[in-house]
Amino acid sequence: MMNNSDLSIVILCAGNGTRMRSQKPKVLHTLAGKTLIERVVETASLLEPKKIILVHNPEHRTQLEDLLQNLPITWVAQTERRGTGHAVLQALPYIETKQSLVLYGDVPLLPQNLLTTLQEQTATQFGMITARTPRPHGFGRIIRDEKNNIIRIVEEKDADASTKLIEEINTGIMLFPTQFLQESLPKLEPKNAQGEYYLTDCVALWQEKSIPVKSVSATCFWHIQGVNTQAELVHLERTWMRYQAEKLLEQGVRITDPERFDIHGNLICENDITISPNVCIKDHCEIGENSTIGNNCSLNRVRIGKNVVIGNFCELENVHIEDNAKIDSFSKLENTLVGQHAKVGPYAYVRPGTKIGNHAKLGAFVEAKNSELEYGSKVAHLSYVGDCKIGENSNIGAGFVHANYHGPHREKSTSSIGKNAFIGANCTIVSPITIGEDSTVGAGTTVRKNVADNAMHVTLGKEVTKENWQEQEQPSPSNNEENSSLQTL
């Protein structure tokens, strides 16, 4: 890492983004789960500059501050949008370092190593990042002399037919000696089709020093691609997703359809994992060696062990999944631990704080929150388990509900079920309850008191059968009296 105590980074994000056709500022649109401006500021922070200066539209200040409130940013308003040169001029009084790097709030996927390379090759000179593309329409063209030195940049609207054929383009990313900016920015003139002050005109002013402009070429066009429209945003996001999928494929992860794979973060992985179509992995993610199910296990990333299968349309956010587990289709897991050989879903909703132990099962249409299933326990289907601990090898029947919501402004209480317990179908336990080990709760029971170890607990009620029920005269809709036959049932 270079010592960047003499570096300031100026990020330009004052544009209105009218082509996005949105009430939201352009830089607040998201790409793979993060706003464009967040991505740019995070990359800038990795360089560890002395100062990050955000040149913004004052109408957007509140929204930007709410998003970036925890980051050390110097805020500079550009009340009039009069071009990139004018924008940097607003930041100039706040720059106290020898070097100034200019970035853009709508270029979200710029890699740190490209900027580091620019710094290394530029030293104390003027440097810039360029790129080549067979479709350069809309970009400023790089003009070089017979010695291949950059002598000026011509914007698209100011270019003649021959200039428009040039495939080397300006990315706008430039590294300046600050003293040169102080001398040059006041000299810029709006002599162009846009009537704006172009930062790119500094290239021609640098020629007076008879020192070549240094340049670094971006190897991937999407690294330097900006966003101006919704279509460009979608295309860039899919390019990023495809790139992440290809990295995983190279490492032995089987992604059955890379075009239908979403990842909102960085993924490090082992092999022999199968990820089905339309899986979404959110936040900072890591797929790697076995994690340990326990209280000290971190939940700030996704970790998936070997031989794990993820079904269609699953969403994983801050999840640890150990070896040989299976997450069936249409399941959503948040801040959850899943043990070895465990099975989740299909259609499971696993909310934060849940731990599913080794060989445990949390099945179809089950919702769990802040609960623990220990080794071999099963909640197979159609149940709600919230704030409840279930011991080893216990079986919870269909339709189980842990009733622990006691109204607003009251804390939810917890319950526990001992190991080897058997809870019948359609049972409700009203927390706080303790159900002992090796105990049985009969089907349809509402449990309102603790159940001892090795006990049977059942609601006994009279069962009535009414013969020939369909042949009896049914009550008139206008009859306000309750039907006596119904009362007997």
Side-chain angles (χ1 to χ4, degrees), residues 41 80 108 126 131 337 453 471 481:
V41 171
E80 297 180 85
F126 177 12
L337 303 173
D453 292 349
E471 298 177 6
E481 295 183 3

CSV table of all heavy atoms in Angstrom, one decimal, residues 41 80 108 126 131 337 453 471 481:
chain,number,residue,atom,x,y,z
A,41,VAL,N,-17.0,5.6,-3.2
A,41,VAL,CA,-16.4,6.1,-1.9
A,41,VAL,C,-15.6,4.9,-1.3
A,41,VAL,O,-14.5,5.2,-0.7
A,41,VAL,CB,-17.4,6.6,-1.0
A,41,VAL,CG1,-16.8,6.9,0.4
A,41,VAL,CG2,-18.0,7.9,-1.6
A,80,GLU,N,-24.1,25.5,-9.5
A,80,GLU,CA,-24.3,25.5,-11.0
A,80,GLU,C,-23.5,24.4,-11.6
A,80,GLU,O,-22.4,24.2,-11.3
A,80,GLU,CB,-23.9,26.9,-11.6
A,80,GLU,CG,-24.6,28.1,-11.1
A,80,GLU,CD,-24.1,29.3,-11.7
A,80,GLU,OE1,-24.6,29.6,-12.9
A,80,GLU,OE2,-23.3,30.0,-11.1
A,108,PRO,N,-19.0,2.9,-10.9
A,108,PRO,CA,-19.0,2.2,-9.6
A,108,PRO,C,-18.1,1.0,-9.5
A,108,PRO,O,-17.8,0.6,-8.4
A,108,PRO,CB,-20.5,1.7,-9.6
A,108,PRO,CG,-20.9,1.5,-11.0
A,108,PRO,CD,-20.2,2.6,-11.8
A,126,PHE,N,1.3,14.4,-14.4
A,126,PHE,CA,-0.1,14.3,-14.8
A,126,PHE,C,-0.4,13.0,-15.4
A,126,PHE,O,0.3,12.6,-16.4
A,126,PHE,CB,-0.4,15.5,-15.7
A,126,PHE,CG,-1.8,15.6,-16.2
A,126,PHE,CD1,-2.8,14.8,-15.7
A,126,PHE,CD2,-2.1,16.5,-17.3
A,126,PHE,CE1,-4.1,14.9,-16.2
A,126,PHE,CE2,-3.4,16.6,-17.8
A,126,PHE,CZ,-4.4,15.8,-17.3
A,131,ALA,N,-9.1,3.9,-22.2
A,131,ALA,CA,-9.6,2.6,-22.5
A,131,ALA,C,-9.8,2.5,-24.0
A,131,ALA,O,-9.9,3.6,-24.7
A,131,ALA,CB,-10.9,2.3,-21.8
A,337,LEU,N,-27.5,-20.0,11.0
A,337,LEU,CA,-26.5,-21.1,11.0
A,337,LEU,C,-27.1,-22.4,10.6
A,337,LEU,O,-28.1,-22.8,11.2
A,337,LEU,CB,-25.8,-21.2,12.3
A,337,LEU,CG,-25.1,-19.9,12.9
A,337,LEU,CD1,-24.7,-20.1,14.3
A,337,LEU,CD2,-24.0,-19.5,12.0
A,453,ASP,N,-40.4,-34.2,32.4
A,453,ASP,CA,-39.7,-35.2,31.6
A,453,ASP,C,-40.6,-36.5,31.5
A,453,ASP,O,-41.3,-36.9,32.5
A,453,ASP,CB,-38.4,-35.6,32.2
A,453,ASP,CG,-37.4,-34.4,32.1
A,453,ASP,OD1,-37.7,-33.4,31.4
A,453,ASP,OD2,-36.3,-34.5,32.8
A,471,GLU,N,-78.4,-35.0,6.0
A,471,GLU,CA,-79.9,-35.1,5.7
A,471,GLU,C,-80.7,-34.2,6.6
A,471,GLU,O,-81.9,-34.1,6.3
A,471,GLU,CB,-80.3,-36.6,5.9
A,471,GLU,CG,-79.5,-37.6,5.0
A,471,GLU,CD,-79.9,-39.0,5.3
A,471,GLU,OE1,-80.8,-39.2,6.1
A,471,GLU,OE2,-79.3,-39.9,4.7
A,481,GLU,N,-81.3,-17.3,15.8
A,481,GLU,CA,-80.9,-18.1,17.0
A,481,GLU,C,-79.9,-19.1,16.5
A,481,GLU,O,-79.9,-19.6,15.4
A,481,GLU,CB,-82.2,-18.9,17.4
A,481,GLU,CG,-83.3,-18.0,18.0
A,481,GLU,CD,-84.4,-18.8,18.5
A,481,GLU,OE1,-84.4,-20.0,18.4
A,481,GLU,OE2,-85.4,-18.1,19.0
